[in-house]
Amino acid sequence: MVTSFMSEPTPDFSSLKLVDTHAHISFPQFDSDRERIIRQIEDDTISLLVEIGTNAEDSERAFRTVKGLRNAFFSAGVHPHDSSGLDKEGLLKLESLLFSDKAVAVGEIGLDFFRNLSPVEDQIRAFKEQLELAARLDLPVVVHVREAYSEAYKILKEFGHFKGVIHAFSADLEYARMFVELGFFLGIGGPLTYKKNDELREVVREVSLDRLVCETDCPYLPPVPFRGKRNEPYYVGYVIEEIANQKGISPISCSESLLNNAMRLFSISL
């Protein structure tokens, strides 16, 4: 269960470029303090934030959340959990949102065979339809994969749109290299800090820094020391510090590289 925020001392990440390439601050978990986070974006405490849509309605809410913010952008897409509800009207709605100058990606799309909240055939159909939309609009994709790395890789390779990020990457080094070789970035978040996640730390050490982006997936996947609590964009600083630790470089340098990666991935100029 996600509990309230700020039960731990607030760390000082003021020297870092805090970049959250995968946030959900438009979700109800932020209704009580969303304005505080928006102020962090406005005063450059958060250097860059991408608010991620998970269905047509949520994508519109994501757009409304960031439309007045200089350092925040959004994606529009239908999550595999909601795939069975994606119809022609929904695709048209996504496309209309993606014409906004604040839209930087199609997502969150992909496959989730762990929960199977939508039938597998609907997930595959929706994934392919949204890949086609992204290719037509020349936008990167934000890809959610859980218990479906082989299937997702096969679809992406066959489709040929190699522009995007594998969000919350959780497979092994072999898959990491396969997706990077296609041209994808890997999204690295709070799980990197979990004690038993040596496999992900190996991925971060071995994959070139210029193919990594940092993220929170807030309100989910909080880093240590906030496990079990609500995540938020500021906590991406813990992720940046751990990436820097695994790479043997300074957190400041690492944060600057990760900001440049995010801008390159999403074709953003700040």
Side-chain angles (χ1 to χ4, degrees), residues 5-13 224-226 229 234-235 238:
F5 64 96
M6 293 301 193
S7 58
E8 296 281 343
T10 303
D12 181 8
F13 294 137
V224 174
F226 292 96
K229 301 177 174 65
Y234 190 76
Y235 298 164
Y238 289 102

Side-chain angles (χ1 to χ4, degrees), residues 203-216:
V203 166
V204 167
R205 284 194 303 273
E206 296 299 326
V207 170
S208 175
L209 179 60
D210 67 3
R211 303 312 298 178
L212 304 179
V213 292
C214 51
E215 59 179 37
T216 63

